[in-house]
């Protein structure tokens, strides 16, 4: 059974700090990795994707991928209260278009 | 990214009845998917809606319970049949763009009483 694991949290950080969200996956064949943000009562919103080992930066967000360790992370710099949400890690399964989602990490940014 | 709409946004239904959820995209897309998000849980793929052919269902989901139509490249429906309280969930349509990125519609919140 392909799995994607996330710490459910909540992860609480002060405003302006760096929030670090982590995700591990079991399928070594996975090629595509996505981070979605989901506000309460809303649908998931794609915020980052990464395909290659290393770091990918987009504004305040940095995705990090280590395929050897089967680990992907999301860093949020200068965290804002508006970043408070559940962050879902998703990984493609069987090298296909199917996505397997982790259970999500709830982030709380304290003003 | 494509703009996705779903109807209805929410509904309350009695057990034993059926509800059809519509998903409309503002541009033609090859891949459309239906997900379920049960209360407090993550997303689970129900099926891939294939244009012009039968949907491809994931393990644990069957066509009799969740019939899907995909008449063209911008529209799909998911029917939740013979509903029970366990079907209370958010149902989400998603599409994949040419860069293999999936985007979600606003969802349909279903409560079965």
């Amino acid at each position: 059974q392909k799995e994607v694991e996330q710490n459910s949290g909540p992860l609480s950080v002060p405003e302006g700090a760096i929030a670090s969200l982590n995700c591990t996956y079991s399928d070594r064949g996975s090629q595509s990795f996505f981070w979605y943000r989901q506000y309460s009562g809303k649908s998931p919103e794609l915020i980052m994707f990464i395909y290659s080992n290393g770091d990918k930066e987009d504004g305040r967000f940095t995705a990090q991928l280590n395929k050897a360790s089967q680990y992907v992370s999301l860093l949020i710099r200068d965290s804002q209260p508006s970043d408070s949400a559940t962050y879902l890690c998703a990984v493609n399964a069987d090298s296909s278009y199917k996505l397997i989602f982790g259970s999500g990490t709830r982030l709380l940014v304290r003003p | 990214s494509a703009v996705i709409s779903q109807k209805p946004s929410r509904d309350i239904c009695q057990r034993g009845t059926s509800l059809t959820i519509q998903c409309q995209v503002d541009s033609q897309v090859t891949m459309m998917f239906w997900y379920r998000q049960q209360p407090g849980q993550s997303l689970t793929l129900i099926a891939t809606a294939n244009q012009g052919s039968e949907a491809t269902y994931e393990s644990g989901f069957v066509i009799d319970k969740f019939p899907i139509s995909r008449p063209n490249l911008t529209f799909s429906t998911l029917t939740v049949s013979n509903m029970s309280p366990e079907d209370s969930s958010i149902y989400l349509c998603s599409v994949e763009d040419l860069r293999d990125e999936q985007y979600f519609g606003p969802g349909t919140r279903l409560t079965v009483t």
Side-chain angles (χ1 to χ4, degrees), chain B residues 67-100:
Chain B
I68 288 170
S69 78
R70 177 94 190 268
N72 56 51
L73 293 176
T74 64
F75 185 79
S76 178
T77 67
L78 168 74
T79 299
V80 186
S81 303
N82 187 26
M83 289 183 284
S84 67
E86 292 71 35
D87 294 319
S88 296
S89 224
I90 299 173
Y91 292 86
L92 294 147
C93 166
S94 80
V95 303
E96 186 176 273
D97 69 7
L98 294 176
R99 297 174 298 179
D100 298 335

Side-chain angles (χ1 to χ4, degrees), chain B residues 24-39:
Chain B
Q24 179 75 54
V25 190
D26 69 343
S27 59
Q28 293 187 341
V29 292
T30 304
M31 307 298 289
M32 291 182 76
F33 308 93
W34 287 98
Y35 287 82
R36 179 173 74 181
Q37 187 172 31
Q38 294 182 300

Side-chain angles (χ1 to χ4, degrees), chain B residues 38-52:
Chain B
Q38 294 182 300
Q41 299 196 22
S42 192
L43 285 78
T44 301
L45 180 63
I46 297 172
T48 303
N50 301 311
Q51 194 267 329

